[in-house]
Amino acid sequence: MTAIDLARLQFAFTVSFHFLFPAFSIGLASFLAVLEGLWLKTGNGVYANLYRYWLKIFAVVFAMGVVSGIVMSYQFGTNWSVFSDKAGPIIGPLMAYEVLTAFFLEAGFLGVMLFGINKVGHRLHFAATLAVAAGTVISATWIVAVNSWMQTPTGYLINDVGQYVLRDGWFEVIFSPSFPYRLVHTVLAAYLTTAFAVGGVGAWHLLSDSGNPGARKMFSMTMWMAALVVPVQIIAGDAHGLNTLAYQEPKILAMEGHYQSSPQGAPLILFGLPNDQTRHVDYAIEIPKLGSLILKHELNAPLAGLDSIPQNMWPPVAIVFWSFRIMVGIGFAMLGIGMWSLWARYRKRLYQSPWLHRCAVLAGPSGFVAVLAGWATTEVGRQPFTIYGLLRTADSASSLAAPAVATSLLAFIVVYFAVFGAGTYYLLKLMAQPPHPHESLPDDTLHGPTKPAAAKALVESMT
Amino acid sequence: MNAPELTVIWAGIIALAVAIYVMLDGFDLGIGILLPWFAKGEEREIAINSVAPVWDGNETWLVLGGGGLLAAFPLAYAIILPALYAPLIAMLLGLILRGVSFEFRHRDPKHLTLWERSFTLGSFVATISQGIALGALLQGISVTGRSYGGGWWDWLSPFTLLCAVSLVAGYGLLGSCWLIFKTQGELQKRAFALAKPLSGLLLAAIVLVSLATPFLEAKYYARWIGAPGIYIAGVVPLAVAACAFQLWQSLVQRKELAPFLYTLALFALCFIGLAISIWPDVIPGRVSIWQAATDVKSQIFMFYGVAITLPLVLANTALAYWVFRGKATKEGYH
């Protein structure tokens, strides 16, 4: 393996690990804000308990997100210094804005959110939760703007030392053509990932105690999300796909497995084995004309194939083809669970449907898989470029020495699996506990059960 | 194209972010380094609780330093980071280990010792790496064209190791002084006992680094030893001496807040000394801030952002410290 292969592997590894945590913490922060808001509004102690229950989980997820995120902000420089030099004037400011408007907001109020529950008033505490939740979404917005500019660069000039610099206004850079679609699709993905994780935990506890009020509440809330938001996400995904067709045709052709042009309407290839050598999807199962219907909204619309594009501009077809199918498959499975829950709710059997609960438990981690698969689709799909059409990945790296990159990659793998493996184990341990009426706080575990002050506040809130 | 005045302002902003980072994360890294000296159980618990609500905010300044360097001086970012490859990766891994230990020790009382050890190990590795990185920057980085031109072990030298030891002493001192301020009883006594040898060690390290620096680069020599330079530069060593004396006095008199403030002042003076050495370069002797600066439009866009948000960030940080004011206790902050 060359140094660049190793650097790409290292980036893929560290960013994939990292992405899992914000995907969860964006959703959890908003979920916690909703829970605290409902508690303050209704005074129903179930919300307060669920808040405490998920706050402990949020603390662990957030810490892992922060530390794995710092790695990203330095890795651009260590491994991808040519990219950093060239793209710095455009993406640097957006990332600086992310730090200034999101990270500091989150960090400043996180301490109050986690440790200040009995230290500050309800209102300030709720404000802290809202600030953290807003911070996670603001952060997502900036980083998606960066990513979208790299996918569909607009509003730039190239200066005399080869850097991309601003042409007219920042609006054009931030609102690059794929940004609105990508932002909606990404944030909804984070919310759904969280909804299914929370719903899976609720379902797990309903299976052993269908009367647990906390488990009932979280299952019900997240199944509303599944029923209402999954369809929206599918529409958003479709719109994002059409946008990709307009700006990154090779990616869509790889996703669909279209090696050959189809002048008379393209089929929809459901499954098969893409083969770059023969330029053909082997053992394909396809539905005639449906591809054109989806992408062009017309049965006989002609659709170009990868054969119309030089092969050195192709992404790795098989990875994109399969990761896309994994994402879409999970999306439709989520839709199924959402619809099933509506039916069960209508029949007033939402909490007494063991098979629905079993499927929801199974779907608990599905959002994480879908997020990674979607990420792989869009990131591998824009290869061989880091900045689409402008800067090739092979030309983006630092002058790296393979042994140095190999060593650091190995160190990342060892530390990540040890540390985040332990973290995942602790998360599962927390989730395995059913929510109970005297939920402790993030820093309570070492000192036994809930402290008198907290317990008192809780009893007051429940009466 | 960049605007020369804005470039200076941006150099100031990045320097400020790094300085704030060093002072704030310095004391919580220091507590990680000193943890083995505290009694298991309550003492360690209180020491860690005294920084648990603020460490994440402290570390955000490091992200601002890195992200800001990319944004304001992309060329410097593209040269310095590959040059410091190994120490930076080690720092990141150390920060990971340390950051998660804050949470994991709550989640797993059975393996408390394991997570306290990894807290210390991570803090120690991060500190050493930062010291080495600073030393490597100061001793010079070779540049070819628009990229790093040196080898993979250039960062390792007696001077960089000296810087690493200095930073361990410095962060340790910051940590012990923070604990003097935030705790009472046995733990505070222990912090006082640690602060004295650490301040001696730090002072010795400062003297050694200061003596070695002028000989690293001809330019440094001219600044620190040459005729016009020394009249301005000479003030810094005098101020360091005065500060060190005051620090020692405050430790002897068992003042609670003063030792922390004097240590911060010592850090600030070292930082000023550093700035005197390398100004107006961002990579000493090779790349000036104006050569590395980003495009003027990027400078202006970010300048507005900083002008609006930095006061809010500082207010927000102050609020976080204010909410958790007073002595830290075993019960976290309840």
Side-chain angles (χ1 to χ4, degrees), chain A residues 82-413:
Chain A
V82 176
F83 165 80
S84 303
D85 177 22
K86 288 182 185 294
I90 294 281
I91 66 162
L94 308 190
M95 289 163 83
Y97 266 94
E98 183 186 17
V99 181
L100 289 168
T101 60
F103 291 168
F104 276 116
L105 189 65
E106 292 170 327
F109 287 105
L110 184 75
V112 178
M113 184 184 177
L114 295 183
F115 307 113
I117 237 172
N118 297 318
K119 189 104 180 139
V120 299
H122 288 328
R123 279 190 179 183
L124 179 55
H125 192 267
F126 183 46
T129 307
L130 283 177
V132 172
T136 61
V137 176
I138 295 169
S139 164
T141 305
W142 286 114
I143 205 67
V144 168
V146 169
N147 183 268
S148 299
W149 185 83
M150 289 165 64
Q151 301 266 3
T152 51
T154 41
Y156 64 90
L157 291 172
I158 300 176
N159 71 7
D160 51 2
V161 291
Q163 291 175 316
Y164 305 104
V165 297
L166 186 75
R167 190 177 60 200
D168 299 315
W170 287 96
F171 187 87
E172 218 184 329
V173 163
I174 296 167
F175 287 82
S176 67
S178 62
F179 169 71
Y181 301 94
R182 193 183 312 278
L183 180 65
V184 171
H185 199 48
T186 308
V187 172
L188 287 182
Y191 281 156
L192 287 174
T193 297
T194 307
F196 276 85
V198 173
V201 172
W204 173 260
H205 295 302
L206 285 176
L207 280 170
S208 50
D209 175 13
S210 66
N212 184 314
R216 281 180 165 222
K217 186 60 83 185
M218 60 174 129
F219 187 66
S220 170
M221 288 172 81
T222 53
M223 284 303 115
W224 277 124
M225 284 287 288
L228 301 176
V229 180
V230 175
V232 177
Q233 175 71 325
I234 290 174
I235 294 167
D238 178 58
H240 191 12
L242 294 181
N243 177 266
T244 309
L245 177 66
Y247 291 93
Q248 293 179 309
E249 203 182 8
K251 183 193 286 184
I252 280 286
L253 299 180
M255 282 156 66
E256 302 285 345
H258 291 316
Y259 284 102
Q260 311 296 335
S261 301
S262 314
Q264 294 293 312
L268 179 72
I269 302 174
L270 292 176
F271 297 105
L273 298 175
N275 186 334
D276 277 2
Q277 258 87 50
T278 59
R279 300 190 163 200
H280 183 258
V281 179
D282 300 336
Y283 313 108
I285 302 169
E286 54 185 50
I287 302 170
K289 313 275 187 197
L290 192 57
S292 283
L293 185 68
I294 291 173
L295 288 171
K296 304 269 185 176
H297 294 183
E298 199 184 313
L299 277 177
N300 289 315
L303 192 72
L306 283 166
D307 55 3
S308 63
I309 299 160
Q311 193 157 355
N312 68 359
M313 304 269 281
W314 292 10
V317 178
I319 299 175
V320 178
F321 181 86
W322 276 107
S323 57
F324 176 63
R325 268 147 196 76
I326 292 170
M327 176 188 75
V328 171
I330 290 174
F332 280 98
M334 286 175 158
L335 182 69
I337 289 179
M339 295 303 119
W340 188 356
S341 78
L342 275 186
W343 176 245
R345 206 187 287 269
Y346 172 73
R347 302 260 326 264
K348 303 209 183 305
R349 297 195 54 79
L350 187 63
Y351 308 119
Q352 290 85 25
S353 307
W355 277 107
L356 173 62
H357 301 159
R358 283 185 195 114
C359 287
V361 170
L362 202 65
S366 65
F368 297 101
V369 181
V371 159
L372 286 187
W375 180 248
T377 306
T378 196
E379 294 305 297
V380 178
R382 60 99 177 267
Q383 296 302 324
F385 296 100
T386 47
I387 306 173
Y388 195 72
L390 296 176
L391 185 64
R392 285 185 170 259
T393 309
D395 301 328
S396 303
S398 318
S399 55
L400 297 158
V405 191
T407 311
S408 64
L409 175 60
L410 199 68
F412 274 120
I413 291 173

Side-chain angles (χ1 to χ4, degrees), chain A residues 74 96, chain B residues 6-22 61-74 76 80 271 282 289 302 306 310:
Chain A
Y74 279 80
Chain B
L6 269 177
T7 302
V8 174
I9 292 175
W10 267 104
I13 293 170
I14 306 289
L16 182 71
V18 174
I20 293 180
Y21 168 74
V22 167
W61 293 94
L62 180 67
V63 184
L64 183 62
L69 189 67
L70 166 64
F73 301 99
I80 294 173
F271 214 78
V282 58
I289 55 172
M302 287 190 296
V306 167
L310 204 60

Side-chain angles (χ1 to χ4, degrees), chain B residues 42-221:
Chain B
E42 199 171 313
E43 281 193 18
R44 293 186 182 185
E45 188 73 2
I46 295 171
I48 293 178
N49 280 343
S50 76
V51 291
V54 292
W55 75 271
D56 181 37
N58 297 348
E59 217 152 84
T60 306
W61 293 94
L62 180 67
V63 184
L64 183 62
L69 189 67
L70 166 64
F73 301 99
L75 180 63
Y77 180 87
I79 295 170
I80 294 173
L81 269 66
L84 306 178
Y85 195 90
L88 285 182
I89 302 276
M91 174 191 83
L92 295 170
L93 294 171
L95 290 177
I96 288 175
L97 211 52
R98 187 187 80 104
V100 298
S101 300
F102 273 107
E103 286 305 322
F104 289 0
R105 48 190 289 290
H106 285 301
R107 301 277 70 92
D108 195 359
K110 263 189 262 169
H111 295 104
L112 191 64
T113 315
L114 171 75
W115 291 119
E116 285 181 352
R117 276 188 194 147
S118 74
F119 183 61
T120 297
L121 177 70
S123 306
F124 192 69
V125 169
T127 305
I128 294 220
S129 312
Q130 288 174 7
I132 288 177
L134 175 69
L137 180 67
L138 206 54
Q139 76 179 5
I141 287 172
S142 52
V143 178
T144 312
R146 290 181 76 79
S147 39
Y148 173 55
W152 294 99
W153 293 96
D154 285 15
W155 49 270
L156 190 62
S157 75
F159 179 73
T160 60
L161 293 178
L162 174 64
C163 290
V165 174
S166 315
L167 206 61
V168 171
Y171 283 0
L173 181 59
L174 270 177
S176 59
C177 291
W178 173 256
L179 289 179
I180 290 172
F181 175 50
K182 292 293 281 186
T183 66
Q184 47 204 348
E186 277 305 306
L187 180 57
Q188 194 190 39
K189 266 190 212 160
R190 220 181 275 262
F192 267 117
L194 282 165
K196 283 184 186 168
L198 281 169
S199 52
L201 187 61
L202 177 63
L203 210 62
I206 290 175
V207 170
L208 285 176
V209 171
S210 308
L211 288 178
T213 304
F215 300 98
L216 292 170
E217 283 265 344
K219 199 164 163 186
Y220 298 167
Y221 189 89

